[in-house]
Amino acid sequence: MGIQITPSILTADFADLGAELARIPSSDWIHVDVMDNHFVPNLTFGPRTIEALSNATSRPIDAHLMITDADRNAAAYVEAGAASVTFHVEAATAPVRLAREIRSAGARASMALRPATPVDPYEDLLPELDMVLIMTVEPGFGGQKFLDLCLPKIRRARELMDKHGVETWLQVDGGVSLETIERCAEAGADVFVAGSAVFDAEDPDAMIAALREKATGAADRA
């Protein structure tokens, strides 16, 4: 599968998202942070934004649901065109059922964990998931500083995936930059969400290439 770079539009220009997507043609996915002002203290996008973006680009949409009622609402994001839907395990009543529903609807199912949520209690869920997202900042706002304390959890998640022989992707989100991506890749992550690092760059697509090069080199050394 290799290294994948997934820019988050949370720090893009909301007034012209079509033009912003045109600035990142080499991105593997488009990451959309869905916030409900309940699970996190911010309010952003809904299914209509997912639908508009999926119609505006051929790249797959990665919908990260930071919402309280993921069990009831996740299906709407698949219907809107998301190719991958991530729910927070802290907000899911029945995570196995939810993952299966997302998969049966035709999307990849991903489970996210906040920085303080350990991964070991969810080891048995790994075969039900296409991706695990380790948050490396507290979810809710872009531009936060990377939390190094999450690196052992990234390593542990990779150990558990290797133990079970699953092909689950390991994504990190929060403070990913040229200064931090190598540490994440060395710890075992292979999918990287980057917001400010990409959209604040003079050349966002060149930044994607630089991030990919750094992560690939670190993964090869590991």
Side-chain angles (χ1 to χ4, degrees), residues 26-173:
S26 68
S27 60
D28 297 290
W29 293 74
I30 304 298
H31 189 86
V32 182
D33 291 301
V34 177
M35 307 181 191
D36 64 357
N37 206 31
H38 292 284
F39 182 71
V40 293
N42 200 356
L43 184 65
T44 56
F45 312 106
R48 291 188 65 183
T49 303
I50 299 292
E51 183 176 9
L53 289 170
S54 64
N55 290 331
T57 180
S58 60
R59 279 157 291 167
I61 304 298
D62 175 23
H64 177 190
L65 307 186
M66 288 172 267
I67 60 177
T68 54
D69 199 356
D71 297 82
R72 186 167 62 112
N73 293 302
Y77 291 87
V78 183
E79 293 170 5
S84 176
V85 175
T86 300
F87 60 89
H88 269 265
V89 71
E90 303 93 348
T93 303
V96 172
R97 182 178 65 193
L98 179 53
R100 290 178 178 178
E101 288 176 351
I102 292 170
R103 280 176 156 180
S104 66
R108 295 177 62 86
S110 173
M111 181 182 73
L113 296 90
R114 300 180 82 145
T117 303
V119 67
D120 285 85
Y122 306 103
E123 176 181 353
D124 292 341
L125 273 66
L126 291 176
E128 304 286 346
L129 301 167
D130 297 296
M131 184 168 70
V132 171
L133 166 55
I134 304 296
M135 292 298 301
T136 46
V137 299
E138 286 294 341
F141 295 93
Q144 296 184 65
K145 185 178 179 180
F146 180 84
L147 295 173
D148 283 279
L149 58 85
C150 296
L151 288 170
K153 185 162 67 171
I154 297 171
R155 293 190 187 94
R156 181 57 179 160
R158 176 55 64 196
E159 288 173 0
L160 294 175
M161 291 172 182
D162 291 345
K163 171 185 173 182
H164 289 275
V166 295
E167 296 182 358
T168 310
W169 298 352
L170 181 53
Q171 185 180 67
V172 293
D173 181 2

